């Protein structure tokens, strides 16, 4: 790897990191897991003057429930989320998505904060967090902001994070009632970006859908929240017909382009198939959970 | 064929690979591991456009950057008559652009600097002005009248045709078609793919300004051929060129050609007087070095009402890129594609091939394949499958009906090959039995009724490997023989020097095993050397599965010659006549008195210490082997797949591979070769494509776009064997490195098509992505 010349700093505290970032924010990039940034440096598509490595800052890899949320520190690695027992028990959409991200090497280093801040519409976490109605916590020179994920994701490689801010945490609301979730991903091989990804989250009250969350990967200029489909589901009883209708609405919300991974019509068809399958799986999980309690 | 006692670890034993100790411990030495005192680093500037006039190059800023030693342009090379070089197919190729760019990624200039970082920084400072020209990426359009001329610098070149070639009997074939009851046709594209060795290409060029000696540490599959070509290209005296190939991290045909970077780095070292290293990046390897395939094929198969094959007709257009740089024998312009009649007793055939220049990278290398055999095997196996559907017969039954029968060998094919040996029905029977074919067909029927898709694909391939004979086969005029030099030391240990070049095939182990079986020296006592042209005898290198058929034969022959000299020595030591001696594994004994014996080690010692009067001392020799014929490995591959109708995704449920490569020297290594080939065959069938957009931009220039399968998606392989020795090879072996890549893609595609054919699908071109499967189902529905 022969990138352009850059300065490198590895501060021990968030304040120090923010100070360095603040000096020349437009020419500085934050280095977390590096799984998107390093390839860009290698190909010389990105040539920042300075890298601020935040990996030595303590406390940024928190993973715990508190105040009605799951707090995920920005440095939580994909593999940490894949292996965590709390996540496995209570956040099936996250647990399902984490092991499907890229390959083991990327999962060992890649972070949730870095992935979301990269703003890649083919990123998996954006859809998962849309389905879960998560918030992104960011710190900047003037303090802290909590940004709903739907406002955080703006466009391709564009988020509402300012140049002088750093993502510190992701907050996921704790599920209620009996719940289930899944992430379905079509990829050409392990490690490939998604051709299509679908995140599903369901909370049931009896057999009535108390809350439905959906997120779509790689079928638009950002991860898509198919609100019409979610609204169609909410308050209604689970049925194959309802799921088919929601799948149709989700496919309508998708806005894919034709590329090497397939024509747009194909990607829409996969969204429809996967939403249907994902909802059925989430429902089965929720019913099983209800049966256990 | 010799039998081998276990203690000498000879032919037939799965001993562990000698080379793996150093690879597993990270102690291998690849070209990029070599660092010489005073060494400089070179980086190459490549064209972002596919077809454009070169207007100007300004290197001022790059040359002024601290640490830059030289900036080299096409004009600089032209001043030394090095701007163009010959290709392996008798064409010319630009080293650096002087007139116009002909493909995206073509070499435009280079920077030589004190570090690689500085060299790459300086590339950004070179300013090039281009004047864009119309781009052609479709070879069929390239051959149309009025298409923009790509090779306008060539005298007598008035269109984009780079060759026209025919094989077989056109008249007889047309006559057979006229009488045929059934004609099955298939138009298909074998897509452009890339060998993509994990180690990219590179060189450390070290031209000593005092002695004039050029030592080139090179990623080469054919060091001697490269030495001779370097002598011709660079005008250096051949005795002053030493090609040294250290460990090679995979070749697969990609390291057969000579690349512009090699020439530029050597020229730079010569002119600057310091060693120069050039290691290409992954993207450079994928966009500019030897690609494979890219054949547009139309096949027609004529049959009678009983399903007996009558004739085969093929028309094809090959996309050869901007320069005709296929690595293949001179007289066969489409390689050995005329093996396309495959495993079938085909009375007549005719093949017509046209090659086209396009604005794409040159190459057409034999990617794990013997010169275009892969494309041929794919076409016939797809055609046979579709013919079975057309006739309403079982694809396996149609094959049995038409196989060349075991008693027909040696078999003369309609296009002039003489197949050495084979038993095709036995291999297919074994594969069907192992798969449980009939049962699976019943399950397929049942699942279809439930709306589920299961498909079974068959490929019964025949390969042709091990070129030459030298009368017919050459590379750039160099005849395709090969060599082995065996030196037995006084203590009975030995060095074997071979003209072929390992890139992972395990030569250090298998060639020692041949010596063990033929001369009785345990294989662990035999060191195998290769890849240093000052040290080993001349050879044409390793590709087209030729190492075992040719250099393996040379090894057996020289070992036998030394054994015969050993017999004279043994007779002298035992004071009997030679006729009274018997050879057994590793010693000579007196007939009828088995306790009276001398070991090969005793014999070796005597060759230096106690030879009979008048005998030439020593126990050494060299043999150059010119094979009487090619070898014809074969096999039957069966694949069962499940297809998801909703998304087009397909998964391999079973993959059964029966291979027959004659006598297996090291069965474990053979298995490894087959596993590797089956994986690459799967990759080609399922996911690999070097694609281009209309502007000639290469899509597939990194491993995000050009996909290498992981263990996760690679099918589980069930491998089996039959053994039909080659009658003309000294140890009965045939080549095996490429059988699985050649044979398996058709099996995977046949399986997917078989799963959806009842919906009306007759073809899906590779790579068979889930999107294409889904689309084919939708198209069939409408």
């Amino acid at each position: 790897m022969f990138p352009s010349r850059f300065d490198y700093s590895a501060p021990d505290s968030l304040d120090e990191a923010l100070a360095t970032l603040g000096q020349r924010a437009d020419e500085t990039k934050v280095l977390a897991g590096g799984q998107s940034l390093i390839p860009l440096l290698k190909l010389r598509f990105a040539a920042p003057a300075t890298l601020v490595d935040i990996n030595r800052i303590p406390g940024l890899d928190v993973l715990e429930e508190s105040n009605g949320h799951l707090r995920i520190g920005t440095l939580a690695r994909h593999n940490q989320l894949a292996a965590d027992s709390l996540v496995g028990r209570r956040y099936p959409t996250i647990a399902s998505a984490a092991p499907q991200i890229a390959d083991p090497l990327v999962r060992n280093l890649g972070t949730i904060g870095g992935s979301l801040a990269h703003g890649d519409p083919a990123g998996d976490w954006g859809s998962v967090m849309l389905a879960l109605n998560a918030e992104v916590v960011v710190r900047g020179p003037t303090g802290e902001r909590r940004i709903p994920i739907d406002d955080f994701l703006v466009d391709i490689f564009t988020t509402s994070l300012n140049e002088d801010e750093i993502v510190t945490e992701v907050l996921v609301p704790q599920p209620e009632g009996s719940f289930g979730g899944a992430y379905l991903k079509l990829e050409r091989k392990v490690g490939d970006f998604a051709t299509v990804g679908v995140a599903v989250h369901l909370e049931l009250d009896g057999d009535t859908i108390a809350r439905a969350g959906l997120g779509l990967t790689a079928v638009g200029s950002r991860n898509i929240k198919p609100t019409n489909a979610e609204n169609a589901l909410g308050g209604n009883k689970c049925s194959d017909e309802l799921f088919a209708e929601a799948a149709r609405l989700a496919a309508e919300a998708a806005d894919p382009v034709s590329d090497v991974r397939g024509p747009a019509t194909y990607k829409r068809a996969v969204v429809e198939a996967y939403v249907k399958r994902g909802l059925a799986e989430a429902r089965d999980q929720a019913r099983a959970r209800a049966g256990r309690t | 064929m010799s039998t081998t006692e276990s203690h000498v670890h000879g032919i037939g034993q799965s001993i562990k690979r000698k080379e793996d100790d150093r690879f597993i411990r990270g102690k291998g030495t690849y070209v990029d591991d070599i660092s010489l005192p005073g060494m400089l680093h070179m980086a190459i500037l490549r064209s972002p456009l596919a077809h454009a006039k070169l207007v100007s190059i300004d290197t001022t800023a790059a040359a002024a950057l601290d640490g830059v030693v030289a900036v080299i342009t096409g004009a600089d090379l032209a001043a030394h008559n090095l701007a163009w070089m010959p290709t392996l197919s008798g064409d010319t190729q630009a080293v650096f652009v002087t007139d116009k760019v002909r493909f995206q990624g073509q070499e435009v200039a280079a920077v030589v600097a004190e570090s690689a970082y500085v060299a790459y920084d300086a590339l950004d400072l070179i300013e090039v002005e281009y004047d864009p020209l119309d781009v052609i990426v479709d070879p069929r359009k390239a051959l149309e009248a009025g298409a923009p001329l790509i090779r306008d610098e060539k005298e007598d070149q008035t269109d984009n045709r780079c060759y026209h070639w025919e094989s077989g009997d056109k008249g007889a074939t047309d006559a057979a078609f006229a009488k045929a009851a059934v004609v099955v046709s298939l138009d298909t594209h074998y897509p452009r793919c890339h060998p993509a060795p994990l180690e990219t290409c590179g060189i450390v060029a070290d031209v000593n300004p005092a002695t004039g000696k050029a030592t080139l540490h090179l990623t080469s599959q054919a060091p001697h051929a490269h030495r001779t070509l370097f002598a011709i290209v660079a005008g250096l005296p051949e005795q002053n060129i030493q090609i040294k190939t250290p460990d090679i991290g995979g070749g697969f045909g990609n390291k057969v050609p000579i690349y512009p970077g090699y020439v530029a780095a050597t020229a730079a070292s010569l002119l600057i007087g310091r060693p120069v290293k050039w290691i290409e990046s992954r993207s450079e390897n994928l966009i500019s070095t030897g690609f494979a395939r890219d054949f547009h094929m139309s096949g027609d198969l004529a049959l009678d009402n009983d399903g007996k094959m009558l004739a085969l007709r093929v028309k094809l257009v090959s996309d050869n890129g901007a320069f005709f740089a296929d690595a293949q024998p001179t007289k066969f312009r489409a390689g050995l594609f005329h093996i396309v009649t495959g495993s079938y007793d085909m009375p007549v055939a005719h093949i017509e091939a046209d090659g086209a220049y396009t604005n794409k990278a040159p190459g057409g290398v034999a990617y794990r394949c013997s010169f275009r055999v892969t494309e041929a095997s794919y076409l016939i196996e797809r055609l046979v499958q579709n013919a079975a559907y057309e006739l309403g017969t079982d694809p396996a039954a149609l094959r049995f009906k038409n196989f060349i029968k075991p008693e027909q060998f040696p078999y003369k094919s309609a296009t002039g090959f003489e197949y050495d040996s084979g038993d095709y029905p036995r291999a297919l029977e074994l594969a069907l039995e192992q798969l449980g074919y009939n049962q699976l067909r019943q399950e397929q029927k049942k699942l279809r009724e439930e709306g589920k898709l299961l498909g079974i694909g068959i490929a019964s391939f025949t390969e042709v490997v091990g070129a030459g004979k030298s009368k017919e086969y050459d590379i750039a005029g160099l005849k395709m023989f090969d060599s082995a030099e065996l030196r037995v030391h006084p203590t009975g240990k030995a060095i074997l020097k071979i003209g072929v070049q390992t890139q992972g095939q395990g030569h250090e182990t298998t060639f020692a095993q041949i010596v063990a079986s033929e001369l009785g020296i345990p294989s662990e006592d035999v060191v195998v050397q290769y890849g240093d042209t000052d040290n080993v005898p001349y050879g044409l290198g390793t590709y087209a599965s030729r190492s075992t058929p040719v250099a393996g034969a040379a090894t057996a022959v020289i070992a036998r010659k030394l054994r015969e000299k050993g017999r004279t020595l043994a007779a002298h030591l035992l004071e009997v006549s030679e006729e009274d001696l018997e050879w057994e594994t590793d010693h000579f004994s007196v007939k009828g008195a088995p306790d009276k014996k001398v070991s090969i080690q005793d014999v070796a010692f005597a060759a230096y210490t106690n030879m009979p009067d008048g005998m030439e001392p020593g126990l050494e020799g060299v043999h150059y082997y010119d094979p009487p014929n090619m070898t014809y490995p074969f096999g039957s591959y069966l694949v069962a797949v499940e297809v998801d109708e909703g998304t087009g995704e397909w998964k391999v449920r079973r993959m059964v591979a029966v291979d027959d490569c004659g006598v297996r020297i090291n069965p474990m290594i053979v298995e490894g070769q087959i596993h590797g080939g089956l994986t690459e065959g799967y990759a080609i069938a399922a996911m690999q494509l070097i694609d281009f957009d209309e502007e000639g931009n290469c899509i597939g220039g990194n491993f995000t776009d050009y996909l290498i399968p992981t263990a996760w998606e690679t099918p589980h392989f069930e491998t089996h064997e039959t053994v039909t020795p080659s009658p003309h090879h000294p140890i009965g072996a045939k080549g095996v490195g490429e059988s699985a890549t050649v044979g398996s893609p058709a099996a995977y595609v046949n399986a997917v098509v078989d799963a959806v054919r009842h919906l009306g699908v007759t073809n899906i071109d590779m790579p068979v992505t889930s999107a294409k499967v889904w689309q084919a189902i939708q198209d069939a529905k409408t």
Side-chain angles (χ1 to χ4, degrees), chain B residues 557-639:
Chain B
V557 172
I558 191 59
R560 287 174 190 177
K561 282 188 188 170
L562 297 193
R563 192 174 74 205
E564 283 318 296
K565 183 172 182 180
R567 183 182 295 274
T568 309
L569 285 157
H572 170 65
L573 292 175
L574 292 168
E575 297 177 337
V576 294
S577 73
E578 289 177 37
E579 296 72 46
D580 292 335
L581 290 176
E582 290 184 314
W583 170 256
E584 175 65 40
T585 307
D586 59 354
H587 61 271
F588 290 100
S589 60
V590 177
K591 285 177 190 165
D595 289 346
K596 229 183 150 196
K597 61 182 180 180
V598 285
S599 68
I600 187 67
Q601 289 77 14
D602 295 336
V603 165
F605 198 66
Y608 296 88
T609 60
N610 179 19
M611 51 281 191
D613 288 344
M615 177 185 268
E616 185 183 358
L619 195 56
E620 301 186 354
V622 60
H623 184 77
Y624 287 77
Y625 186 81
D626 187 357
N629 189 5
M630 307 280 262
T631 66
Y632 295 75
F634 62 93
S636 274
Y637 296 156
L638 297 188
V639 173

Side-chain angles (χ1 to χ4, degrees), chain A residues 1-5 42-44 185-190 192-193 260-263 265-266 269-270 273-274 277, chain B residues 116-117 120-121 124 283 644 646-649 687 691 699 704-705 707-710 712-713 770-771 774-775:
Chain A
M1 159 168 163
F2 301 103
S4 302
R5 190 173 286 270
K42 174 192 144 185
L43 295 167
R44 293 190 174 221
K185 182 175 181 178
L186 176 66
E187 53 187 4
R188 296 172 301 174
K189 57 161 278 197
V190 165
D192 188 23
F193 288 102
V260 289
R261 289 180 174 79
T265 49
Y266 170 65
V270 175
Y274 276 10
R277 293 175 193 183
Chain B
Y117 291 95
Y120 280 99
D121 285 346
D124 294 341
S283 293
D644 182 331
T647 63
E649 291 168 89
M687 60 181 75
D691 203 6
I699 300 156
T704 306
D705 292 320
L707 305 178
I708 307 289
T710 69
W712 187 260
E713 49 273 331
S770 54
W774 180 85
Q775 191 68 56

Side-chain angles (χ1 to χ4, degrees), chain B residues 603-723:
Chain B
V603 165
F605 198 66
Y608 296 88
T609 60
N610 179 19
M611 51 281 191
D613 288 344
M615 177 185 268
E616 185 183 358
L619 195 56
E620 301 186 354
V622 60
H623 184 77
Y624 287 77
Y625 186 81
D626 187 357
N629 189 5
M630 307 280 262
T631 66
Y632 295 75
F634 62 93
S636 274
Y637 296 156
L638 297 188
V639 173
V641 299
E642 291 163 9
V643 177
D644 182 331
E645 192 173 348
T647 63
E649 291 168 89
W650 58 278
K651 274 209 171 70
V652 175
R653 189 207 275 187
R654 298 275 305 280
M655 200 297 165
V656 173
V658 174
D659 270 278
D660 191 320
C661 58
V663 172
R664 296 184 172 204
I665 298 165
N666 183 318
M668 177 195 74
I669 290 179
V670 170
E671 286 287 299
Q673 287 275 30
I674 290 166
H675 272 244
L678 291 174
T679 305
E680 288 185 320
Y682 168 74
I684 292 164
M687 60 181 75
Q688 294 189 327
L689 176 66
I690 301 280
D691 203 6
F692 294 83
D693 67 14
E694 287 297 308
E695 281 83 50
N697 295 307
C698 178
I699 300 156
N702 56 56
F703 279 164
T704 306
D705 292 320
Y706 190 74
L707 305 178
I708 307 289
T710 69
W712 187 260
E713 49 273 331
T714 300
H716 174 73
F717 304 126
E718 303 166 42
T719 54
H720 303 276
E721 66 176 270
T722 59
V723 176

